[in-house]
Amino acid sequence: MKKPFCFLFLLFLTTSCFKDSDINIDPNRSTSVDPALLFSGAATQFSLLRQAELTWPIALGSQMWASGARWGLAQAQYDQTRVRSAWGKSYTDVLKNLDVAIKLAESTTPIPKNAVAQCKILTAFVYSQTSLLWGDIPFTEAANGEVNWPKFDKQQDVLNGCLAMIDEALAMMDTGTKGISAPNDLYYGGDMVKWKKFGNSLKLRILFAMVDSDPSKAAAIGKLVTEGGGIASTADAMQFKYYNEPGRQNPRYSFTAIFRGGVQSDWYCSKPVYDLLVSLNDPRIPYFFQPGPDAKLDEYIALNSVESYTTKSALVSMNLLKADLPEISFSYSEQLLFEAEAYARGFAEGGFTLATQRLRAGVSASLVSFGVPAAQAESYAAALPALTAANYKTILAQQQYLDLFMRPIEGWTQHRRSGVAGQEIPAMSPPVGSPVAGLMRRLLYRSEEVNSNPNTPSGIALDVPQWFDK
C-alpha cells in the first residue's frame, strides 16, 4: 500500500533536485539568435504558405482554378489539412519568429531601426492576410507566448492595428542605410527605399479592403495616392525570390516535379476565368493556360466546378509554375489598378482621365508580367474603353481580378470586395451540390483551435461574409 506513495515522493525529490541543474539544459538550443535569421526564416515560411498550402484550397474554392476531379468548394471545406496547417504555421513559424526578432532587435544598443521596421511591415502583411482569410483572429494577445488562449480581435481592429504598425515602421526607417540584407532579405536585399514603397502600397491594399465597410478610409486612400511613395515600377515589386537550384525552387514547381514527374495534372482552366478572358478578347489566354495533351493546338477547354477533366481539358500553364518564378507579394500592376480605382471613385483628385490612364498602364504592365510582348500589351491596353461613371466598376474589377490570377489569396479578396454578395465581378454561382448556399467567403478555423481555445468563434459557415465583405 505504501509503494505508490513512495514512488510519488521519489519522483518529487528527483524533479526538485534536477529542476535547476544543468542536466535539463539542451546544449543545442540557442540562447541568442540574430534577428536577421529569424526574419529570414519567417519570410521563407510565409512565402511557402502563400505559394503552396494556401494557394490550392483558395484557388480551387474561389473557382480561380479548376481541380478537374473534385469541385473546389467541397475540397476547401472538407480537405482542410492544408488550411489547418497554414493557420498554425502563420502563428508559430512566422508571427512568433517576427515577434522574437523585434524584441531582440529592440534590446540591442543601438537599436537597428531598419531591421525592426522590416519585421513590423512583414508582421502587418501576415496579420492582414490572415484576417482577410479567416475574419476575426488573435492579434493583440497573439504570438507573444504570454497568453494561452488569446482573444479573437474583430477584423476591423486587426486591420486598423496593421495600418498603425506600418506607420510605426515607416516613421523609424532610415532609407539612407541598409536594413536586414541579403541573403536574409530575399525580398529587397535590405534596400529600405523599396521597403518604404512596399509599406505604403501595403497600406493602400488594406485601406481598399476596408473602405466599403468603413467609408472614412477614403480620405487616407486619397492622401496616399496623391502623395505617391508606393511601388512605382516593376523594379519596386515586392517578391520573394526562388532559384532553379535544389532546395531553392518555387514550391509550386517542386510539387509538380516531385509528385507528378514534372507533368502538370492538378490545376485546370477555370470556366469563369476563361469565359471572362474570351469576352474581353484578352491576349493572356495562352499565357494563363496550356491545351490538354490530346487537345488541338490553341484549343482551350475549360472546366466548371463539377466537371471531371479529360485529356483535352486545358491546364494552368507550366510557364507559371517554373522553378525560378518568384512569389509576387505586391506588383506594379496591382498598384496602378488601385490608383485607377482611387481616381474613379473620387478618393483622389484627377477624375476619370487619370483613372483611365492608370487603368491602361496597369493592364499593360500586367500583360507584360505574364509574358505578353510589350507592343501587344500596350496596343491592347490602349484600346480599352475610357472609364466613366457607368462602366468603371465592371472594367476595373475585371482587370484587377485577372491581374491576380496566379495570386489567389489577393484574387479572392478582390472578388469578394468587387460587389455585394451575389453581385461580384466576374459573376459566379455556388457549384451544384454545394454544402452552403453561397460562395465561399472565409476559411474555417482549424479544429485544434476550436477545441483548445474557448475564445474561438464557432458555428460560422463558409459562406458567411466577413466584416470587410459587405
Side-chain angles (χ1 to χ4, degrees):
M1 295 294 293
K2 294 182 180 180
K3 287 183 179 179
F5 174 79
C6 293
F7 172 76
L8 290 172
F9 182 68
L10 288 172
L11 181 61
F12 172 77
L13 287 178
T14 302
T15 304
S16 300
C17 292
F18 293 130
K19 181 174 65 174
D20 298 321
S21 74
D22 291 341
I23 292 177
N24 286 337
I25 298 177
D26 182 352
N28 295 317
R29 183 176 181 179
S30 298
T31 56
S32 177
V33 183
D34 183 350
L37 296 177
L38 291 169
F39 174 87
S40 175
T44 299
Q45 184 59 243
F46 185 50
S47 183
L48 288 171
L49 292 175
R50 284 174 55 80
Q51 287 289 279
E53 284 162 280
L54 285 169
T55 282
W56 299 321
I58 291 172
L60 299 177
S62 65
Q63 304 180 53
M64 292 190 78
W65 303 356
S67 63
R70 296 170 294 177
W71 54 282
L73 191 57
Q75 182 174 3
Q77 181 170 21
Y78 296 117
D79 184 11
Q80 286 285 307
T81 302
R82 294 187 185 279
V83 171
R84 284 175 21 225
S85 173
W87 170 272
K89 288 179 180 178
S90 293
Y91 280 98
T92 59
D93 296 353
V94 183
L95 291 168
K96 178 60 178 176
N97 279 344
L98 290 171
D99 182 73
V100 173
I102 291 170
K103 289 175 179 175
L104 287 172
E106 290 178 338
S107 67
T108 303
T109 304
I111 296 175
K113 292 185 178 181
N114 281 344
V116 174
Q118 288 166 282
C119 289
K120 286 193 173 187
I121 289 175
L122 188 57
T123 298
F125 186 7
V126 180
Y127 271 123
S128 60
Q129 172 180 294
T130 304
S131 181
L132 292 171
L133 294 177
W134 278 275
D136 298 348
I137 61 169
F139 178 62
T140 54
E141 296 180 349
N144 57 22
E146 299 173 2
V147 180
N148 291 327
W149 300 289
K151 69 177 182 179
F152 278 63
D153 295 276
K154 296 296 183 183
Q155 184 175 68
Q156 183 177 12
D157 296 333
V158 174
L159 297 178
N160 277 322
C162 291
L163 293 173
M165 196 179 300
I166 296 170
D167 284 338
E168 291 173 5
L170 294 175
M172 69 174 60
M173 275 186 190
D174 177 4
T175 56
T177 61
K178 287 274 190 177
I180 295 171
S181 302
N184 294 310
D185 177 10
L186 285 173
Y187 294 108
Y188 290 128
D191 186 333
M192 299 310 297
V193 172
K194 292 184 177 181
W195 270 102
K196 186 172 185 178
K197 291 180 179 180
F198 170 64
N200 283 318
S201 290
L202 180 59
K203 281 182 63 178
L204 192 62
R205 177 191 287 168
I206 296 170
L207 288 165
F208 264 115
M210 301 177 73
V211 71
D212 291 319
S213 293
D214 180 2
S216 70
K217 300 303 182 189
I221 291 173
K223 187 172 186 291
L224 270 174
V225 171
T226 300
E227 293 181 352
I231 288 172
S233 70
T234 54
D236 293 336
M238 174 73 161
Q239 56 185 21
F240 188 92
K241 299 177 179 64
Y242 289 101
Y243 302 89
N244 192 12
E245 303 170 5
R248 305 184 72 190
Q249 297 162 331
N250 188 301
R252 292 177 183 171
Y253 169 86
S254 297
F255 176 87
T256 300
I258 294 170
F259 297 104
R260 301 293 184 261
V263 178
Q264 215 290 75
S265 58
D266 290 276
W267 306 300
Y268 287 80
C269 173
S270 165
K271 190 166 178 58
V273 176
Y274 180 73
D275 287 350
L276 177 58
L277 289 165
V278 171
S279 71
L280 299 173
N281 195 26
D282 195 294
R284 281 172 285 197
I285 291 175
Y287 298 92
F288 279 12
F289 307 116
Q290 62 188 39
D294 291 336
K296 298 176 183 177
L297 184 66
D298 297 331
E299 180 183 24
Y300 300 94
I301 300 177
L303 300 178
N304 64 33
S305 296
V306 295
E307 288 179 309
S308 295
Y309 70 92
T310 71
T311 54
K312 291 186 177 182
S313 300
L315 301 104
V316 173
S317 173
M318 272 300 295
N319 285 328
L320 302 178
L321 302 169
K322 294 186 294 186
D324 59 352
L325 199 70
E327 182 265 303
I328 306 296
S329 297
F330 207 113
S331 65
Y332 180 42
S333 53
E334 182 181 5
Q335 174 74 25
L336 288 167
L337 293 171
F338 274 143
E339 291 178 9
E341 183 177 349
Y343 289 123
R345 296 179 68 172
F347 298 161
E349 293 185 5
F352 290 112
T353 298
L354 278 183
T356 301
Q357 186 272 330
R358 294 294 196 277
L359 164 72
R360 290 170 175 167
V363 171
S364 179
S366 180
L367 267 62
V368 169
S369 74
F370 283 104
V372 178
Q376 184 183 6
E378 291 176 10
S379 175
Y380 177 81
L384 289 172
L387 295 179
T388 66
N391 69 17
Y392 81 87
K393 290 182 180 179
T394 297
I395 292 175
L396 276 172
Q398 289 173 336
Q399 294 301 333
Q400 287 168 316
Y401 180 76
L402 291 174
D403 178 51
L404 299 168
F405 174 65
M406 286 304 289
R407 296 163 55 199
I409 295 172
E410 283 77 47
W412 185 32
T413 297
Q414 164 57 33
H415 188 254
R416 286 176 291 167
R417 77 175 191 88
S418 66
V420 297
Q423 298 179 30
E424 297 88 357
I425 301 169
M428 292 185 194
S429 58
V432 175
S434 171
V436 290
L439 297 175
M440 187 178 82
R441 312 197 83 86
R442 61 175 65 236
L443 298 182
L444 299 178
Y445 299 113
R446 69 174 187 167
S447 56
E448 293 89 341
E449 193 75 28
V450 175
N451 295 332
S452 64
N453 185 351
N455 295 315
T456 310
S458 60
I460 303 177
L462 274 170
D463 60 346
V464 174
Q466 298 179 24
W467 169 82
F468 89 92
D469 181 19
K470 300 292 178 64

